C-alpha cells in the first residue's frame, strides 16, 4: 500500500532547531524573554500592527482580549456558526451569550447582513473568523462597527498570509488573534498572538497576561488585578522567530498547493474551493472542496474514499449551534448544509506533486463513480 498522506505537518528546518537549542541552552535569567520579545516585535512589524503579545494559544489571546473589552454576564457576542469551538469558549467562560449567525455560501465566513440583523442593545462585540484562510468581508463588518460603536474582532487563527485590500488579516479589527498550533502555516507547536493598534487596550491585555501585574508597578510580585497566565515560552518563541524569517516561503507554498488542486479539479462538475477575490490574497491555510448538493456527495462518502486511499482529510467544521452544550438551533442554512458535503484537503509544505495527484484522483474517482451511479439509476427507472 502507498504511504499515508497526512493532512498537515509543520515545516521545520535547521534554523528552527538552532534557535530552539539556543533558547534551551542560553535563554534563562536575564535572557529568559529574548526570543519572546523578538517574536512579538517581528510579528507586529510583519502584520503592520501597533502592539503584539505572544500567548500560549489563540484561545487565550481571545479570552484576554474579550475580558479587556469588558465582555461579561448579560452581554452578547455575535460570531459565525461555522467555527471551531475555541472561538466561542472564551465567550462562555466570561459568562456572555454567543449569538450564532449564518455564513456566506461562497467564502464560508460570517454574513454581514446576518450580523446586522442580530444586533441588540446587549451586543458587546462581533467576531469575524477568517475561515481556512478565506477572508471575511471586512469593509462591511467594519462599517457596521463604525455605525454601531460595537468592536469588530478578527479571529485570524487560520489566516496568516491572507490580505484584505492591502491590510493583513488580523490588523484591521479592534484586536486580532492568531494561532501557531502545530497544524498552522506558522507554528510554534502550541501558541498564539494577541495584536492591536489600540494602546490602551494593549496595556489592559498586557496587565491581564501577567497575572494582573501592571507594567508600571514597582512593588515586586504585586498584582493590580486578577489576571491570566497565557504566556508563550521563550523556546516556543525561538521557533516562531525562525518560522517568521521563512514566512513568505511558508505562505507561498500553501498558495501553490491550493492552486495545484484547483488546476487538477477545475474540470470536475459541482466543486468549489477557497475563493480569492479581486484585491485580496488568500493565505490558503486549508484547501477545502465543497460539493454542490446536486452531486449527491456527502461528508461520509468523502471520508470513506480518503480512508480507502490511505489519505488523511479533515471534516469541515460542524456548526457550533449543533453542539450539545448549546440549546439554540438557529436556521443557519449554509452553516448547517456546507459541512455535510465538504472536506479539507492535505496541504503540508513538502507535499510532492505525486501526493497532490493522489488526493485529486481520490476526488475525481469519487465523482466519476457518483456520476455513473446516478446515470445507471436514471436508466433503470426509465
Amino acid at each position: 500500500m502507498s504511504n499515508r498522506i497526512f493532512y498537515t505537518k509543520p515545516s521545520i528546518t535547521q534554523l528552527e532547531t538552532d534557535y530552539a537549542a539556543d533558547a534551551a541552552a542560553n535563554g534563562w535569567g536575564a535572557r529568559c524573554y529574548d526570543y519572546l520579545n523578538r517574536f512579538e516585535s517581528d510579528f507586529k512589524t510583519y502584520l503592520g500592527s501597533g502592539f503584539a503579545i505572544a500567548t500560549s494559544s489563540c484561545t487565550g489571546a481571545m479570552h484576554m482580549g474579550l475580558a479587556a473589552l469588558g465582555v461579561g454576564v448579560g452581554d452578547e457576542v455575535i460570531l459565525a456558526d461555522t467555527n471551531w469551538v475555541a472561538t466561542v469558549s472564551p465567550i462562555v467562560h466570561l459568562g456572555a451569550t454567543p449569538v450564532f449567525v449564518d455564513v456566506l455560501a461562497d467564502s464560508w465566513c460570517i454574513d454581514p447582513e446576518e450580523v446586522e440583523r442580530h444586533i441588540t442593545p446587549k451586543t458587546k462585540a462581533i467576531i469575524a473568523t477568517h475561515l481556512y484562510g478565506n477572508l471575511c468581508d471586512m469593509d462591511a463588518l467594519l462599517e457596521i462597527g463604525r455605525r454601531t460603536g460595537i468592536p469588530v474582532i478578527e479571529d485570524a487563527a487560520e489566516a496568516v498570509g491572507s490580505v484584505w485590500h492591502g491590510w493583513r488579516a488580523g490588523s484591521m479589527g479592534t484586536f486580532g488573534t492568531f494561532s501557531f498550533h502545530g497544524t498552522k502555516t506558522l507554528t510554534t507547536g502550541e501558541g498564539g498572538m494577541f495584536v492591536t493598534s489600540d494602546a490602551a487596550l494593549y496595556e489592559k491585555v498586557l496587565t491581564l497576561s501577567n497575572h494582573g501585574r501592571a507594567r508600571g508597578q514597582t512593588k515586586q510580585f504585586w498584582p493590580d488585578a486578577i489576571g491570566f497566565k497565557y504566556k508563550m515560552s521563550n523556546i516556543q518563541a525561538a521557533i516562531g522567530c525562525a518560522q517568521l524569517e521563512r514566512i513568505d516561503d511558508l505562505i507561498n507554498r500553501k498558495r501553490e498547493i491550493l492552486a495545484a488542486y484547483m488546476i487538477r479539479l477545475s474540470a470536475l462538475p459541482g466543486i468549489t474551493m477557497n475563493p480569492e477575490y479581486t484585491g485580496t490574497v488568500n493565505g490558503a491555510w486549508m484547501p477545502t472542496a465543497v460539493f454542490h448538493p446536486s452531486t449527491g456527495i456527502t461528508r461520509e462518502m468523502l471520508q470513506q474514499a480518503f480512508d480507502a486511499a490511505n489519505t488523511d482529510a479533515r471534516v469541515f467544521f460542524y456548526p457550533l449551534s449543533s453542539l450539545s452544550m448549546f440549546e439554540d438551533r438557529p436556521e443557519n442554512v449554509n452553516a448547517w448544509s456546507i459541512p455535510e458535503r465538504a472536506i479539507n484537503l492535505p496541504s503540508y509544505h513538502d507535499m510532492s506533486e505525486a501526493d497532490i495527484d493522489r488526493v485529486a484522483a481520490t476526488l475525481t474517482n469519487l465523482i466519476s463513480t457518483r456520476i455513473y451511479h446516478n446515470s445507471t439509476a436514471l436508466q433503470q427507472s426509465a
Side-chain angles (χ1 to χ4, degrees):
M1 177 178 270
S2 57
N3 292 332
R4 190 164 189 85
I5 296 176
F6 301 103
Y7 78 84
T8 186
K9 54 184 177 180
S11 172
I12 302 297
T13 67
Q14 191 63 46
L15 185 64
E16 285 84 356
T17 302
D18 289 346
Y19 282 9
D22 178 54
N26 304 305
W28 309 101
R31 294 189 57 194
C32 66
Y33 295 141
D34 281 5
Y35 279 108
L36 191 65
N37 293 335
R38 175 177 162 186
F39 187 36
E40 291 172 342
S41 178
D42 290 352
F43 192 82
K44 74 179 181 181
T45 299
Y46 166 77
L47 199 68
S49 187
F51 308 95
I53 300 172
T55 59
S56 57
S57 67
C58 183
T59 312
M62 181 65 74
H63 194 175
M64 292 190 295
L66 291 175
L69 289 179
V71 172
V73 177
D75 295 328
E76 294 176 348
V77 178
I78 296 173
L79 70 162
D81 205 356
T82 300
N83 247 310
W84 175 228
V85 70
T87 308
V88 70
S89 295
I91 299 169
V92 176
H93 285 313
L94 289 167
T97 300
V99 178
F100 304 125
V101 304
D102 208 358
V103 296
L104 297 168
D106 53 355
S107 69
W108 326 319
C109 293
I110 195 165
D111 184 339
E113 291 186 2
E114 288 297 296
V115 169
E116 188 120 37
R117 196 166 70 84
H118 285 82
I119 290 174
T120 74
K122 295 181 180 180
T123 304
K124 190 76 170 185
I126 299 163
I127 299 178
T129 299
H130 301 302
L131 195 75
Y132 303 139
N134 302 351
L135 287 153
C136 297
D137 184 344
M138 291 306 297
D139 288 350
L141 293 171
L142 292 173
E143 174 57 26
I144 292 171
R146 280 189 287 269
R147 282 192 286 103
T148 61
I150 299 170
V152 176
I153 297 158
E154 288 183 85
D155 172 9
E158 305 171 358
V160 164
S162 296
V163 180
W164 177 265
H165 300 280
W167 294 85
R168 293 195 183 278
S171 69
M172 295 168 277
T174 301
F175 70 83
T177 61
F178 289 85
S179 170
F180 306 132
H181 182 266
T183 60
K184 297 301 189 292
T185 303
L186 188 161
T187 185
T188 58
E190 285 283 0
M193 191 77 76
F194 170 91
V195 298
T196 187
S197 290
D198 182 326
L201 182 62
Y202 167 72
E203 290 296 335
K204 286 183 181 179
V205 174
L206 189 65
T207 297
L208 289 175
S209 73
N210 191 25
H211 290 300
R213 292 182 288 184
R215 181 162 54 166
Q217 178 57 254
T218 57
K219 294 175 70 172
Q220 191 175 28
F221 291 112
W222 183 268
D224 299 276
I226 295 296
F228 301 96
K229 181 62 172 178
Y230 286 137
K231 189 184 292 295
M232 177 183 284
S233 76
N234 199 49
I235 295 174
Q236 288 176 296
I239 297 171
C241 288
Q243 291 266 289
L244 199 52
E245 288 184 30
R246 301 176 53 227
I247 189 63
D248 289 340
D249 174 57
L250 295 171
I251 292 166
N252 289 340
R253 182 58 185 146
K254 281 285 191 179
R255 288 174 51 74
E256 286 173 359
I257 293 170
L258 174 59
Y261 280 133
M262 287 182 164
I263 291 170
R264 287 161 172 78
L265 302 175
S266 60
L268 299 180
I271 293 183
T272 56
M273 295 193 71
N274 309 56
E276 182 173 84
Y277 300 112
T278 302
T280 71
V281 175
N282 193 315
W285 172 62
M286 188 65 70
T288 301
V290 177
F291 290 80
H292 192 274
S294 63
T295 64
I297 291 176
T298 67
R299 170 180 54 228
E300 289 70 28
M301 289 179 187
L302 290 160
Q303 287 179 283
Q304 290 171 9
F306 277 106
D307 188 54
N310 200 27
T311 300
D312 284 339
R314 293 184 6 154
V315 299
F316 198 98
F317 288 136
Y318 296 93
L320 293 175
S321 62
S322 72
L323 301 179
S324 60
M325 61 282 292
F326 300 112
E327 296 181 357
D328 290 342
R329 296 290 183 267
E331 293 185 13
N332 293 330
V333 175
N334 292 326
W336 280 72
S337 170
I338 293 171
E340 296 178 348
R341 47 189 171 83
I343 201 80
N344 298 147
L345 305 179
S347 62
Y348 53 89
H349 191 269
D350 57 350
M351 279 189 81
S352 67
E353 291 298 309
D355 292 334
I356 297 172
D357 285 339
R358 262 180 64 191
V359 175
T362 302
L363 295 178
T364 300
N365 294 338
L366 179 59
I367 286 184
S368 298
T369 301
R370 191 65 190 172
I371 290 174
Y372 174 78
H373 172 79
N374 289 343
S375 62
T376 301
L378 285 171
Q379 290 173 5
Q380 292 174 345
S381 63

